[in-house]
Amino acid sequence: MTNELGDWRRTHSNGGLRRADVGQDVILMGWVQTRRDLGGLIFIDLRDREGLTQVVCHPQDAPEAAAAAALVRSEFVIAVRGTVAERPAGTVNPKLPTGEVEVRARELRILNPAETPPFPIADDVAVDEAVRLRYRYLDLRRPSMYHHLALRHRLTKAVRDHLSGAGFLEVETPMLIKSTPEGARDFLVPSRLHPGRFYVLPQSPQLFKQLLMVAGVERYFQIVRCFRDEDGRADRQPEFTQIDIEMSFVGVEDVIRLAEAMVAAALRNAMGRDVAVPFPRMTYAEAMDRYGTDKPDIRFGLEIVDCSDLLRDCGFQVFTSVLESGGAVRGIRVPGAAHMSRRDVHALEETAKAAGARGLVPLHLGAEGARGPAVRHLSTARLTALQERFQAKTGDLLIFVADEPRRSSAALGRLRLELGQRLGLVSEALAFLWIVEFPLLERGQDAGRLAAVHHPFTAPMDEDLDVLDRDPLAVRAKAYDLVLNGVELGGGSIRIHGQALQARMFGLLGITPEAARERFGFLLDAFQYGAPPHGGIAFGMDRAVMVLAGQETIREVMAFPKTQSAADLMTGAPSAVEPSALEEAHIRLKLPEA
Ligand code: ASP
């Protein structure tokens, strides 16, 4: 017996043989999925990335192959030479594409034995994620994981093809840089050659892509790794991939159109799925009011409706006190849910509270009449007006939250998502949506200072320029996000290209000219030499593939992801380093007390 390939060449994958191949002499290779020994007659399901093929070893016809087959176990790597045959009547497996045939082995070579894996290599077994991550190379052998990688590859390729066809150049930008502000913490890289100095890893190529516009590249893209040192936030990874794009001589409309064409082409070419463009658009203000979020899932209704005007002076204190102090009463209509139990309503209330509301007020529109804590305060006229506002029918449930307007919508937005799931309203459709007209500025965490919502290079809308100094929080930005099924896929903006406006912006953000020079001097210098009007967008590749693969976390579509606490369970990173390495990097450790 040999464990070398010798002169054998694989002739087919394990997913390709069909009835038309019967009689052919073939050589297959792969991993042993299962081995069944039926009194000397041995069946092996042989697996590779393309699928499974049944191999049969008859002790009479091929005694040596049968003897070798008797030794193999799950995940052994083997090669088989034999003849394709029709499976005997009654043993066809309709679930397998190769299920009509089997390969009768003449020779079998064990190329490598294998330890028993810590979990079976199959899709339908539940395995603790920590174990999957520790043995990722085995986890990736499972067919679904391979399919995620393959889908990701096809999408990446389709994006590259489309952008290349549209005249974009893929340009690499450095990984060891000076900080780019995207609002997260930087990963630091100590410099050995410059004691006490640090590079940081890019949170995005933002400044470099803008410099490429000054450089006259006009159309840039890069499928690029970005790094953000965030505390274990749900479904974030310290490193992730962006499709990063920047264009010159464009406005909002041009970037949106380019992005739509790219998304449509990628879905068609990578998945055979057609999506209609242009995608619908919604302003940020509308999204926050009607869906309580800046990434609405519009696959279902349950929209938030304001009914403050109908409830002034209604006498129900929960409503009137909020309305008098400038708040709002908003609600959603849950069709056919009038009979929802007290317990279920209570559970919804907990969700509303978790979203920051003080509570909710249900109004059950049952056949026997309206029921709920507000009912005895509501005149028939008010009740009718409410029903009309919500287009409610008998049998529906109305849920109200009285609070500061945006907080009321935020709580209802959370309820909406929960109800959408619970009532089975969420379809398989792909619902793309642009969110436009984001605010330019917001109150930052620290002492109410102004902060950029997107980043400090985002341009204000021309219409709002005159209130920039007077009422900066009211200014809208030339910024846009693309949302798919309630997940933010990407975002970008038209940039400031004039020095005067950029200086005003830094002023509003409390960045002194000295600080601006120290942090972005190179960009400001570049902008003195004729920066073209420009703008761009970046898409989160991991998240896009996650949604398109129907997965719940980005870890499912990354080959080697890290845990929530940014650890690599397979390699053990991050890990200690040799004292000599620290010394060379001029680093002395001061660790927190255990
Ligand atoms: N650099 C931005 C980000 O990473 C995207 C952009 O403005 O193009 O979110």
Side-chain angles (χ1 to χ4, degrees):
M1 206 193 305
T2 166
N3 64 355
E4 296 306 324
L5 278 181
D7 58 353
W8 283 22
R9 293 285 168 276
R10 175 148 86 158
T11 62
H12 293 78
S13 81
N14 292 320
L17 294 177
R18 298 288 182 274
R19 183 187 283 265
D21 300 305
V22 166
Q24 275 212 52
D25 206 26
V26 299
I27 295 177
L28 302 183
M29 298 180 193
W31 288 263
V32 173
Q33 180 76 29
T34 54
R35 187 198 56 135
R36 299 182 302 283
D37 192 334
L38 303 182
L41 185 62
I42 294 175
F43 290 90
I44 290 170
D45 279 344
L46 192 59
R47 187 193 72 240
D48 62 16
R49 65 181 206 177
E50 307 297 328
L52 287 176
T53 299
Q54 175 165 288
V55 173
V56 200
C57 305
H58 285 271
Q60 297 91 336
D61 304 348
E64 279 182 35
L71 299 175
V72 310
R73 299 285 177 271
S74 286
E75 301 309 312
F76 273 39
V77 186
I78 65 170
V80 172
R81 165 178 264 164
T83 312
V84 184
E86 228 172 293
R87 290 203 194 184
T91 66
V92 166
N93 181 352
K95 287 199 212 110
L96 273 187
T98 60
E100 289 188 310
V101 298
E102 59 192 18
V103 170
R104 308 241 160 99
R106 282 200 310 283
E107 288 176 69
L108 187 152
R109 293 181 179 174
I110 295 176
L111 302 177
N112 219 340
E115 293 294 327
T116 305
F119 49 86
I121 309 300
D123 279 333
D124 46 11
V125 284
V127 185
D128 181 56
E129 197 182 20
V131 180
R132 292 177 56 198
L133 291 176
R134 165 119 161 67
Y135 297 96
R136 189 59 155 183
Y137 42 86
L138 295 179
D139 190 38
L140 292 175
R141 276 190 198 164
R142 298 158 64 202
S144 62
M145 295 305 282
Y146 176 73
H147 286 129
H148 297 165
L149 294 182
L151 172 63
R152 186 175 179 133
H153 163 78
R154 290 198 307 276
L155 285 164
T156 306
K157 175 172 188 306
V159 163
R160 274 210 169 90
D161 289 348
H162 182 81
L163 292 175
S164 305
F168 285 77
L169 290 194
E170 184 161 16
V171 182
E172 289 175 81
T173 52
M175 289 283 140
L176 298 175
I177 65 163
K178 194 168 158 131
S179 183
T180 287
E182 293 282 1
R185 198 178 287 115
D186 289 324
F187 277 103
L188 304 180
V189 182
S191 164
R192 181 179 57 81
L193 295 177
H194 302 275
R197 305 207 165 215
F198 294 81
Y199 305 98
V200 306
L201 299 179
Q203 294 186 33
S204 82
Q206 184 62 34
L207 299 183
F208 287 97
K209 67 176 175 173
Q210 292 193 240
L211 289 168
L212 286 171
M213 296 305 106
V214 181
V217 168
E218 292 194 25
R219 297 189 149 215
Y220 143 94
F221 85 101
Q222 186 179 188
I223 297 186
V224 62
R225 202 68 60 79
C226 301
F227 305 85
R228 298 185 189 177
D229 188 3
E230 296 176 295
D231 298 315
R233 278 166 72 183
D235 210 25
R236 295 280 175 119
Q237 287 278 318
E239 47 181 314
F240 58 94
T241 305
Q242 281 191 349
I243 305 166
D244 195 41
I245 295 173
E246 196 77 5
M247 308 161 76
S248 290
F249 309 115
V250 294
V252 170
E253 226 30 68
D254 304 284
V255 180
I256 284 186
R257 250 181 277 138
L258 176 274
E260 283 172 343
M262 180 194 86
V263 169
L267 288 177
R268 189 173 336 103
N269 297 330
M271 305 179 78
R273 279 186 90 149
D274 281 311
V275 289
V277 290
F279 301 146
R281 292 185 203 181
M282 194 182 288
T283 65
Y284 171 85
E286 202 181 338
M288 294 304 282
D289 286 335
R290 282 170 52 198
Y291 296 91
T293 168
D294 61 0
K295 34 181 179 293
D297 188 343
I298 54 166
R299 285 175 296 175
F300 60 97
L302 304 182
E303 273 179 42
I304 300 164
V305 175
D306 195 296
C307 48
S308 308
D309 57 316
L310 302 178
L311 293 166
R312 265 175 228 297
D313 311 317
C314 68
F316 182 47
Q317 234 243 307
V318 176
F319 290 167
T320 52
S321 66
V322 165
L323 288 170
E324 276 155 24
S325 59
V329 182
R330 293 177 171 178
I332 51 179
R333 175 179 76 95
V334 192
H339 292 293
M340 188 178 283
S341 70
R342 197 184 284 269
R343 226 168 102 225
D344 285 349
V345 172
H346 183 74
L348 290 178
E349 179 148 39
E350 292 305 310
T351 302
K353 284 183 177 163
R358 268 162 293 177
L360 60 75
V361 176
L363 181 63
H364 302 255
L365 301 172
E368 44 323 308
R371 183 164 57 78
V375 169
R376 66 191 172 87
H377 301 282
L378 301 176
S379 64
T380 316
R382 273 199 221 260
L383 261 177
T384 313
L386 274 177
Q387 292 202 30
E388 265 167 27
R389 174 70 52 89
F390 282 92
Q391 299 186 327
K393 292 190 287 291
T394 302
D396 292 349
L397 172 69
L398 300 182
I399 294 173
F400 300 96
V401 172
D403 216 311
E404 184 276 318
R406 284 275 161 87
R407 199 174 316 136
S408 158
S409 280
L412 287 163
R414 285 272 277 277
L415 292 177
R416 182 181 171 269
L417 288 181
E418 193 171 311
L419 286 161
Q421 288 291 349
R422 198 161 347 134
L423 303 175
L425 302 176
V426 186
S427 72
E428 297 283 293
L430 294 178
F432 287 96
L433 174 70
W434 287 105
I435 303 296
V436 294
E437 300 183 15
F438 276 84
L440 182 72
L441 299 157
E442 64 191 354
R443 286 257 169 250
Q445 313 286 58
D446 54 336
R449 266 233 301 225
L450 288 177
V453 170
H454 194 52
H455 49 56
F457 312 105
T458 293
M461 281 174 60
D462 304 333
E463 300 87 315
D464 296 353
L465 264 180
D466 50 335
V467 295
L468 189 54
D469 299 300
R470 206 167 1 105
D471 189 5
L473 288 172
V475 174
R476 294 162 301 166
K478 292 181 182 170
Y480 30 77
D481 271 4
L482 183 61
V483 175
L484 169 57
N485 296 353
V487 176
E488 182 199 321
L489 284 193
S493 61
I494 298 301
R495 327 298 181 186
I496 298 170
H497 66 277
Q499 295 171 60
L501 184 54
Q502 187 65 67
R504 265 172 89 192
M505 184 71 177
F506 283 147
L508 285 167
L509 295 171
I511 302 175
T512 62
E514 297 73 46
R517 178 122 290 283
E518 149 63 24
R519 288 170 66 191
F520 322 113
F522 58 103
L523 186 75
L524 301 179
D525 285 346
F527 276 23
Q528 292 175 2
Y529 295 98
H534 61 288
I537 190 165
F539 292 96
M541 190 69 195
D542 311 282
R543 256 185 283 165
V545 182
M546 172 190 87
V547 178
L548 294 171
Q551 297 302 304
E552 300 288 328
T553 95
I554 54 174
R555 294 187 296 279
E556 296 297 325
V557 299
M558 300 174 96
F560 298 106
K562 297 184 176 59
T563 61
Q564 193 96 299
S565 58
D568 181 339
L569 298 181
M570 184 179 67
T571 65
S575 56
V577 298
E578 291 294 327
S580 60
L582 287 178
E583 198 143 313
E584 271 180 350
H586 318 287
I587 289 180
R588 194 170 302 141
L589 297 180
K590 181 169 176 294
L591 299 174
E593 315 261 309

